[in-house]
Amino acid sequence: MASSVRAVVVGGGCVGAGILYGLAKRGWTDVALLERTQLTAGSTWHAAGLIPSYARSRNIGRMIARSIEIYERLEAETGQKVGWHKCGQLRIANTRDRLDEYKSYMDVAETQGVQARIVSPAEAREIWPLLDNKQMLGALYHPDDGHIAPADVTQAMAKGARDLGAKVHLGTEVVGFERMLGGEWKVRTTRGDFVCEHVILATGNYARQTGAMLGLDIPAIPILHQYWITEAVPEIVERKRSGFPEMPILRDEGFEGYLREEGDGLMFGPYERTEQLKLFAENGVPEWFGADLLDEDFDAVSWNWERATELVPALGRAGLKRNVRGPFQMTADELPLMGQAWGLENVWLAEGVPGGILWGGAIGYYLSERIVEGGNSLDTAELDPRRFGDYANKNWTREKVREAWGTHATQHYPGQDMPASRPQKTAPSYDRLSQLGAVWDVLNGWEMPSWFAPEGVEARNVYSWRWTAKGSYVDAEVQAVRKAAGLVEMTPMTKFEVSGSGAERWLDAILANKLPSLGRVVLAHHLTAGGGVQAEYVVARLRSDQFYLISTPRAERLNFDELCRLLPKDGSVQLRNVSGDRGAFTIVGPKARDVLQPLTEIDLSNEAFPWFSARSGTVGMASDVRLLRVNYSGELGWELYHPLCYQRHLLDALLASGEAHGLRLVGLQALESLRLDKSYRAMYRDMNLEMSAWESGLDRFINLDKDFIGRAALEAKRTQLARRIVTLSIDTDGASAFAFEGVHREGKLVGHVTSAGYSYTFGHDIALALLPLDLGLVGTELEVSILGQRRPARVIADSPYDPSGARGRM
C-alpha cells in the first residue's frame, strides 16, 4: 500500500532539508523527504559553505538575510551544531568601476536591512593584514557575513523538521511520477509509492533528469567548481595564538576568487573563466556518481593562483594539502528556480540553485510560505522558474551557464546583456535595423533595440555605473518622440488571444478593471489573492467574444501559465499564446498620424479613431494589422500588431513615409525615459506581488463595483494604507538612480526607489519611490543615494510631462 502524505520533497541536500523544515514550521508535519542515498550526498557535503549577503536587488538581499536569520537560531532550537562562523566578508575594489559598483550597492544595502560599509585601503589592510594589494582603491566590508558547515546545517534543519513530525526516507530513489484521477500525485520510488497533494523537487545535479520525468526542460546545468585547502599558515597560527578573531572571507577581483581561514590554513577558491570552465552531467548524472569528487584541474586556474600568491604572499608559502572539486547547479542568471512548475498542478521547483548553502534557509522559508499560505510576504518573482520561456532549452542553457559562471567574478554593470546564445530569437526587422545602427538588448530570448547609433558611431554598448556618451544619442531619440515621431520595435511583447462564449465572463472575473466595449482598449491588472499585482495587460476587444491581451515580454510563460490554471473546464474559453505570430511596431509622436495615415484607409482622426480604441485593417500591403491607439510614451501614437510575415515590408513602408516628418528609430532606453516622464508604472518594479495595487497607485484601474481576484484583500487594505508610490525629481550629476536606492529624510531612511532614470525631457532624474503617506506630499524635500552621495530630491505630482494627457488625445 502507498504511503499518503500531504507533500513530498524530493532531494536531501541543504535546499531539500530547508523546505522540509519550512513546511514543518508552518504546521505541515505530514510531509516526507525522499533521498536516493544519504542527506548531503550531492553537492552539499563538499560545498565551501560561504554565506555572502551581497546582492544589489532589494528582494534578493532580504531573502539571503532570511537564510542567515534561520541559521543563527538553528543550534539553539535543535541542539545541533551548525558550524556558523560570523567572520564577515571583505571585497576588494581595484578599479573605479568596481568601487562604483560597491557604492551603488551601498545605496540599497540599508533598504535590505544589511550591515555594510565602504572602507579605505588602509582599513582593508587592518581587517585583512595578510593582504599585500597596493593597487586597491577601497573595499566593501560586510561584518555579518560568514561561512557555515554545510553538512551540519543540513542535518540541523532535517532534525528540526523531524522533531516536528516530518519524515525523512533515505535510500529512497524516485523513479517516476503519476497524476491520479483525484488530482493527487503518486511518487514512485525504489521503496514503494507515496501519494501526496504537493510534489517539491530539490534534486540538485539531477534537476534535468527529475524534470524530464514530468515533461519539464529545467533550464539548469551543473558546473564544476574547485577549491584547495593549504597546510598550516604560520601567520594564521600566530593570530589564533594571540587571540585575534578569524579574518573575513576575502574576495579580490585581482585573482577572481575567494580566500578564507580553514583550520590553521587557508581555503583558496578560484573562479574559472568561461574558456576553462567545465560543465557536468549535461546529459544526466552518471550512475556511479554519488558523494564523489572529481580530479583536480589546477591548469584551469593557474593564473588565479599566481596572482593570489602575489596579493597574499603567505598563501604562496603554504603547501597545498587537499583539493575539492565537484559539481553544483547553475542557471543563466545565477539565481535559483523557486516556485511553481509550469503546466503542472501542485508541482514546485527548488532547482538550479547556485549555492544551496546560501539559499537553503531562504528557499525553505519562502517556498513553504507560498505552498502553505498561498503567497509570499515579499516579492519572489526574480526566482520564479517561469521567468525563462521555452527558448531556454538545453543548448541555450549550456552556453549561458558557461558564460554566467565563467564571468562570475568579472565586472558587471546595470542593464548589461551578455553575448552567449545570441542572437536566438529575431524578428524579420533584425537585419534591417542592424544596418540602421541598432544596439541590441535581449528580452525573453528576443533581440530588441536598446538604442540606435548614428552613422559614423560604433553600434555597441559601453557599460558603466555613470553616464556615457550614448546618452546624447538616446536624447535625440527622446526629442524625436516629443517633437516629431519615433518608431519602436516592440515584437517581443507577450500577446495572448482569449475567445469563446465564456471569454467575457471569465476575463471579467479575473481582471480588476472593467472590460472594454467592442473596438475599445483598457489597461487592466490580474491581481493576487492578497491584492498584489500578478500581471498588467493592455486589453483590446476585437469582437464580442474575442480579446487581445498584451503584457511584458518577460512574463510570457508565467502569465500564460497563471491564466491557464484559471480556465474553466467546460471549454467555453480558449486561450492562445500568439506571441510569436505577430510583430509589433509603435509609431508615436505629434506627427504619428502624418506618418501612418498615408499608408492606410483606416480613418485615424480623433472622431473615427479615439484614444484607447482598436481597429483592424491594411497598412501598406500588410493585411490584418491590429492598430491600438495606446503607447508607453504619453504622445499621440499607435501600436501596430501585424502578421510577422509582413514585418519587413511594413518597416520599409513606415520608414519611407516618416522620412518627410522627422521619423526616428527609437530604442528601449529612450522608451524608459519617456515612460518615467509620465510616471507610468513598470511591471516587476513599480508593481509586484508584494505591493498592493493601492500602494502602486493603480486606483483608476481598480473597479470595486464588480468582483475580481484580490478584491476582498483590496477592500480590507484600502483603509489601512500606510505607504504609496509617488514621483520624485532628483538633482543628478554624472550618474543616475535606477532601482532600490534608499530615500532619506533628515538623515533617516524612509523609503526606496522602485524605478528611476534620467529624463531627457527635464534634464534630471525622475524616480518612482515607495514612501509613507505623510512624506508623499508634493513638495516634500528628500534625498536619494546615488553612488554613495545623497542627492537632493523632492516629491512632485505624477505625470510631470503633460499631466492632463492632452497630447495622447491629439
Side-chain angles (χ1 to χ4, degrees):
M1 176 181 287
S3 300
S4 293
V5 292
R6 192 163 193 181
V8 162
V9 181
V10 184
C14 187
V15 174
I19 296 166
L20 191 74
Y21 175 73
L23 290 170
K25 290 286 285 185
R26 294 184 187 280
W28 280 27
T29 55
D30 185 17
V31 293
L33 183 150
L34 312 181
E35 164 53 43
R36 63 186 295 274
T37 55
Q38 298 294 316
L39 292 179
T40 81
S43 296
T44 296
W45 74 273
H46 63 72
L50 308 183
I51 308 293
S53 54
Y54 182 67
R56 200 190 179 284
S57 163
R58 181 171 181 267
N59 300 321
I60 300 300
R62 290 186 293 162
M63 284 186 259
I64 293 171
R66 180 69 68 179
S67 274
I68 295 175
E69 176 192 322
I70 290 169
Y71 294 163
E72 288 189 330
R73 69 169 187 247
L74 266 178
E75 189 168 327
E77 181 181 322
T78 67
Q80 173 88 35
K81 290 187 178 298
V82 298
W84 172 232
H85 293 245
K86 195 172 186 174
C87 59
Q89 191 141 194
L90 186 70
R91 296 171 180 267
I92 305 301
N94 297 318
T95 64
R96 190 189 77 163
D97 281 4
R98 186 69 79 176
L99 192 58
D100 280 350
E101 175 190 328
Y102 294 160
K103 289 177 179 178
S104 183
Y105 168 77
M106 287 302 301
D107 296 338
V108 306
E110 189 179 3
T111 75
Q112 302 174 4
V114 173
Q115 299 296 315
R117 70 177 192 271
I118 301 286
V119 299
S120 68
E123 189 175 358
R125 292 185 188 98
E126 289 179 9
I127 295 171
W128 230 91
L130 275 64
L131 178 65
D132 185 24
N133 183 333
K134 297 179 175 61
Q135 286 75 44
M136 79 170 100
L137 303 179
L140 176 65
Y141 178 50
H142 282 91
D144 296 335
D145 284 6
H147 59 93
I148 200 163
D152 292 351
V153 73
T154 302
Q155 295 287 356
M157 288 190 289
K159 182 179 186 300
R162 284 194 298 258
D163 288 347
L164 293 169
K167 300 293 190 293
V168 175
H169 298 268
L170 304 179
T172 306
E173 182 176 359
V174 172
V175 295
F177 302 91
E178 178 186 338
R179 190 76 189 273
M180 302 177 69
L181 292 177
E184 303 94 343
W185 285 98
K186 180 185 288 185
V187 183
R188 300 196 304 273
T189 83
T190 52
R191 297 182 64 183
D193 296 339
F194 291 79
V195 174
C196 60
E197 181 182 351
H198 295 269
V199 171
I200 305 146
L201 306 183
T203 59
N205 297 322
Y206 294 84
R208 295 191 64 83
Q209 289 160 271
T210 315
M213 296 180 192
L214 288 158
L216 299 173
D217 187 1
I218 304 292
I221 291 177
I223 59 94
L224 291 173
H225 175 60
Q226 58 187 332
Y227 59 82
W228 282 262
I229 307 297
T230 73
E231 301 284 358
V233 175
E235 291 87 344
I236 292 177
V237 173
E238 178 60 25
R239 282 180 59 83
K240 288 185 173 184
R241 189 188 65 78
S242 301
F244 287 110
E246 181 177 348
M247 293 184 296
I249 300 160
L250 175 71
R251 295 179 184 266
D252 192 321
E253 61 182 336
F255 64 83
E256 295 185 10
Y258 56 86
L259 280 171
R260 72 165 175 86
E261 292 186 30
E262 176 67 16
D264 288 337
L266 288 169
M267 176 187 289
F268 167 63
Y271 297 114
E272 297 172 26
R273 289 181 172 172
T274 302
E275 54 270 21
Q276 281 86 34
L277 184 66
K278 307 296 191 300
L279 304 182
F280 178 78
E282 298 174 52
N283 300 310
V285 179
E287 287 192 16
W288 59 263
F289 188 83
D292 296 293
L293 296 174
L294 288 90
D295 293 339
E296 73 173 80
D297 184 4
F298 187 81
D299 289 344
V301 295
S302 58
W303 83 266
N304 308 70
W305 171 260
E306 290 173 9
R307 185 64 181 134
T309 57
E310 292 171 5
L311 295 171
V312 182
L315 175 67
R317 293 191 293 269
L320 293 176
K321 180 169 62 176
R322 181 162 59 99
N323 170 266
V324 176
R325 182 171 181 251
F328 66 84
Q329 280 285 296
M330 183 57 55
T331 62
D333 57 7
E334 296 191 67
L335 290 174
L337 306 168
M338 185 198 84
Q340 289 184 294
W342 56 96
L344 297 170
E345 196 69 31
N346 290 340
V347 175
W348 306 85
L349 301 182
E351 300 287 18
V353 183
I357 314 307
L358 172 67
W359 281 103
I363 289 177
Y365 184 92
Y366 290 108
L367 189 56
S368 67
E369 180 183 50
R370 178 79 180 275
I371 295 169
V372 175
E373 310 295 340
N376 283 127
S377 52
L378 61 73
D379 181 16
T380 59
E382 287 171 85
L383 305 190
D384 196 302
R386 299 166 295 176
R387 69 187 184 270
F388 294 109
D390 58 9
Y391 64 89
N393 53 54
K394 186 171 75 171
N395 290 339
W396 180 92
T397 300
R398 178 192 300 113
E399 298 311 311
K400 294 306 288 186
V401 160
R402 193 188 304 276
E403 176 187 64
W405 191 244
T407 60
H408 174 79
T410 61
Q411 181 70 62
H412 293 276
Y413 299 91
Q416 183 177 9
D417 283 316
M418 303 296 283
S421 295
R422 293 177 60 193
Q424 184 195 27
K425 293 164 66 175
T426 58
S429 65
Y430 179 79
D431 291 342
R432 181 76 175 113
L433 293 180
S434 294
Q435 291 171 358
L436 295 172
V439 179
W440 298 93
D441 279 344
V442 64
L443 293 173
N444 196 40
W446 286 95
E447 296 295 318
M448 191 165 181
S450 175
W451 57 282
F452 287 85
E455 188 174 352
V457 174
E458 185 179 5
R460 74 177 184 91
N461 272 315
V462 176
Y463 293 106
S464 176
W465 295 88
R466 301 169 185 261
W467 296 345
T468 65
K470 72 180 175 187
S472 62
Y473 313 130
V474 177
D475 186 11
E477 295 173 23
V478 169
Q479 300 312 320
V481 173
R482 293 289 181 233
K483 297 173 183 176
L487 187 157
V488 188
E489 163 60 281
M490 299 290 287
T491 295
M493 298 300 290
T494 292
K495 315 166 196 82
F496 302 150
E497 287 182 1
V498 178
S499 59
S501 60
E504 179 178 14
R505 182 175 62 255
W506 179 71
L507 267 183
D508 192 55
I510 295 172
L511 301 179
N513 203 353
K514 183 179 178 180
L515 292 183
S517 57
L518 185 63
R520 299 292 292 179
V521 179
V522 299
L523 191 65
H525 299 83
H526 176 187
L527 306 184
T528 67
V533 181
Q534 178 73 52
E536 179 180 68
Y537 293 105
V538 172
V539 183
R541 191 170 200 156
L542 305 179
R543 296 199 303 263
S544 61
D545 63 350
Q546 183 184 21
F547 298 84
Y548 193 50
L549 277 61
I550 304 151
S551 61
T552 181
R554 172 186 160 185
E556 180 183 349
R557 172 174 273 174
L558 192 156
N559 286 354
F560 191 72
D561 188 56
E562 289 291 333
L563 290 177
C564 283
R565 294 174 190 277
L566 300 172
L567 284 170
K569 307 298 184 186
D570 61 7
S572 62
V573 179
Q574 291 79 53
L575 173 66
R576 292 179 59 229
N577 183 356
V578 295
S579 299
D581 296 352
R582 288 180 180 266
F585 291 135
T586 300
I587 298 295
V588 61
K591 296 184 179 181
R593 186 179 285 115
D594 299 330
V595 173
L596 192 55
Q597 187 65 83
L599 299 176
T600 182
E601 294 181 354
I602 299 171
D603 186 349
L604 302 182
S605 67
N606 265 327
E607 296 73 23
F609 203 148
W611 196 42
F612 270 79
S613 58
R615 304 285 185 270
S616 294
T618 300
V619 179
M621 292 186 291
S623 302
D624 189 27
V625 180
R626 295 171 180 173
L627 291 83
L628 278 60
R629 193 175 163 187
V630 296
N631 66 80
Y632 207 40
S633 308
E635 298 284 355
L636 172 69
W638 284 264
E639 295 179 353
L640 280 60
Y641 294 90
H642 50 276
L644 211 55
C645 59
Y646 294 125
Q647 187 177 69
R648 181 58 187 270
H649 156 72
L650 190 57
L651 174 62
D652 288 341
L654 291 167
L655 291 175
S657 181
E659 190 171 358
H661 303 290
L663 178 71
R664 190 178 186 115
L665 293 167
V666 172
L668 280 172
Q669 296 202 23
L671 195 61
E672 175 72 357
S673 181
L674 290 161
R675 73 99 186 167
L676 286 167
D677 288 347
K678 294 293 295 176
S679 302
Y680 290 160
R681 274 47 170 174
M683 191 63 218
Y684 303 119
R685 291 181 284 172
D686 315 306
M687 303 172 285
N688 60 39
L689 302 170
E690 181 178 351
M691 290 187 293
S692 74
W694 303 133
E695 290 174 313
S696 290
L698 302 179
D699 307 45
R700 61 190 170 130
F701 305 112
I702 306 298
N703 186 346
L704 293 175
D705 294 332
K706 72 183 191 77
D707 199 16
F708 56 86
I709 295 172
R711 183 183 182 279
L714 283 189
E715 286 271 37
K717 291 179 177 181
R718 196 174 192 183
T719 57
Q720 304 168 4
L721 192 64
R723 57 183 192 165
R724 192 178 180 89
I725 283 183
V726 298
T727 304
L728 305 183
S729 166
I730 310 173
D731 295 344
T732 41
D733 182 19
S736 288
F738 58 95
F740 304 126
E741 292 85 359
V743 180
H744 296 82
R745 167 81 167 174
E746 297 176 351
K748 179 184 177 183
L749 180 72
V750 295
H752 70 275
V753 168
T754 54
S755 68
Y758 186 74
S759 168
Y760 296 93
T761 303
F762 293 102
H764 56 70
D765 274 15
I766 290 179
L768 299 176
L770 188 63
L771 292 175
L773 293 184
D774 61 327
L775 296 180
L777 304 177
V778 173
T780 301
E781 296 291 332
L782 302 160
E783 291 180 319
V784 174
S785 298
I786 301 177
L787 292 187
Q789 293 188 345
R790 300 279 176 87
R791 305 298 303 181
R794 65 207 57 82
V795 179
I796 59 176
D798 268 6
S799 190
Y801 180 80
D802 185 31
S804 69
R807 294 182 67 86
R809 298 180 175 90
M810 291 171 57

